[in-house]
Amino acid sequence: MKKVTEDCWEGSFPRTNVIWLIYLVDILRLKKSFESRSKDERDLRSLKKHLGKYQSAREALLDPSFGHLFVDPPGI
């Protein structure tokens, strides 16, 4: 993040949100306290790989390839 912000933390840097998402994926993969299947592991690796190409979290969420991950809340 230091590289992205050029050590200027006051500004707005949408890419840092993507970096946080990648970090959270790593936490799920490496420090998980639940039993996962190999498909889960593949999905998380794929998600991390895809996230790396986006410049903002919004850009990632608008990608049609992530549409299947969203579920409508009950009653909507």
Side-chain angles (χ1 to χ4, degrees):
M1 280 202 237
K2 201 173 196 180
K3 183 178 175 183
V4 171
T5 64
E6 296 178 351
D7 214 17
C8 175
W9 298 96
E10 293 83 25
S12 174
F13 303 94
R15 175 74 179 151
T16 59
N17 292 328
V18 175
I19 294 169
W20 276 111
L21 291 172
I22 291 169
Y23 171 76
L24 292 173
V25 169
D26 280 339
I27 292 296
L28 285 173
R29 284 185 53 233
L30 304 173
K31 299 183 180 189
K32 59 187 176 269
S33 60
F34 58 91
E35 190 173 327
S36 64
R37 304 176 313 233
S38 60
K39 182 188 179 318
D40 297 331
E41 183 68 27
R42 280 193 312 273
D43 288 346
L44 286 171
R45 280 196 313 267
S46 176
L47 175 58
K48 181 179 176 179
K49 180 179 175 183
H50 280 90
L51 285 172
K53 67 181 180 179
Y54 300 109
Q55 294 304 309
S56 72
R58 183 179 197 282
E59 184 182 346
L61 291 174
L62 293 176
D63 187 316
S65 63
F66 289 118
H68 71 284
L69 298 174
F70 301 111
V71 179
D72 289 329
I76 291 184

